[in-house]
Amino acid sequence: MLPRPPRVRPDAAPPSRAAAVLAVVDDHGSSAGSRPDRATRDGAGATMFHVNPNPGAEIHHTDPFAVPTGQRSPARRLRGRLAAPVTLWTAPGPAGLTVSSTLVAEGEPDRLLGLVDPEADLWAAIEDAGRFAVAPLGPSHRQLADRFAGLFPSPGGLFATDAWTDTPYGPVPADTGSWAGCRLDTVREYGWALLVEATIETVEIVADTPPLLHHRGRYHQLP
């Protein structure tokens, strides 16, 4: 089993898991994971979710919680301008996480890389199982993507709704067009995240479906 990297971050680390997962920041300097209406807490400590009926859409014309211009990170703004495919990573347990930093490298063997949150339940599940599944998401999966990014409530658990297909690598959405089963090779700290490197052991192509993209804090789809 690979040693787990330390989970202590500097004080300047990103404030939310979703900011690292969806890895995009809009021009207002706010991340998808820092929307003020994502959740609030009442006096008893219970979490109350303010659900956005159109996940990934603009909620306010201006963001009162926006980072002041002089404090915005140019690197984060640049990252927000890189359109990224939205994928779902799952592992036996089950556990899952929305990831927008997935890259496939052809070779012998074929490899897969991605950046994941070291504090996510997914990483612990991958570490224990040594394998995981990756499924590209489509436009119909916006709510599912928000749920696994921690931006949408999941009463009963992340896998309580939707239809799932069980695989040895983890459950995948039953309506996904394709998925890959991966074996964990190495992991190392990379910025605020973990760079996960894996060998692709199996690929299932079911249908040619359009991708769900994330760009500048919002979901998009091809015209």
Side-chain angles (χ1 to χ4, degrees):
M1 180 180 296
L2 295 171
R4 177 176 298 183
R7 294 191 174 187
V8 178
R9 298 184 181 185
D11 291 339
S16 70
R17 174 181 302 176
V21 174
L22 288 178
V24 285
V25 177
D26 61 23
D27 277 341
H28 302 298
S30 61
S31 70
S34 60
R35 297 285 185 189
D37 56 350
R38 178 165 61 95
T40 57
R41 293 184 178 275
D42 61 17
T47 300
M48 299 181 295
F49 288 92
H50 303 284
V51 177
N52 172 17
N54 185 15
E58 183 177 21
I59 301 173
H60 305 288
H61 178 66
T62 59
D63 186 353
F65 291 84
V67 177
T69 302
Q71 300 178 21
R72 298 175 190 171
S73 164
R76 288 173 67 89
R77 295 187 67 191
L78 173 62
R79 182 182 63 184
R81 284 163 169 73
L82 301 177
V86 181
T87 64
L88 179 67
W89 290 33
T90 62
L97 189 68
T98 304
V99 180
S100 64
S101 58
T102 303
L103 179 67
V104 172
E106 293 181 87
E108 296 181 358
D110 299 320
R111 307 290 300 283
L112 182 140
L113 302 88
L115 296 174
V116 302
D117 187 343
E119 297 179 355
D121 293 339
L122 172 75
W123 165 241
I126 291 177
E127 185 184 32
D128 290 341
R131 62 188 187 277
F132 59 96
V134 174
L137 299 183
S140 64
H141 296 127
R142 295 184 182 213
Q143 190 177 108
L144 182 149
D146 270 358
R147 190 166 74 246
F148 278 84
L151 301 175
F152 198 87
S154 54
L158 291 173
F159 296 90
T161 58
D162 300 301
W164 300 90
T165 299
D166 290 329
T167 81
Y169 300 90
V172 298
D175 60 347
T176 188
S178 57
W179 65 273
C182 306
R183 183 186 73 246
L184 178 64
D185 291 332
T186 62
V187 62
R188 59 191 173 103
E189 291 185 355
Y190 210 77
W192 303 126
L194 297 179
L195 175 60
V196 176
E197 302 179 21
T199 295
I200 299 176
E201 294 189 326
T202 184
V203 175
E204 294 286 340
I205 304 295
V206 181
D208 186 10
T209 58
L212 178 64
L213 303 176
H214 213 257
H215 178 248
R216 296 178 71 175
R218 294 166 180 83
Y219 293 124
H220 300 269
Q221 64 187 75
L222 296 178

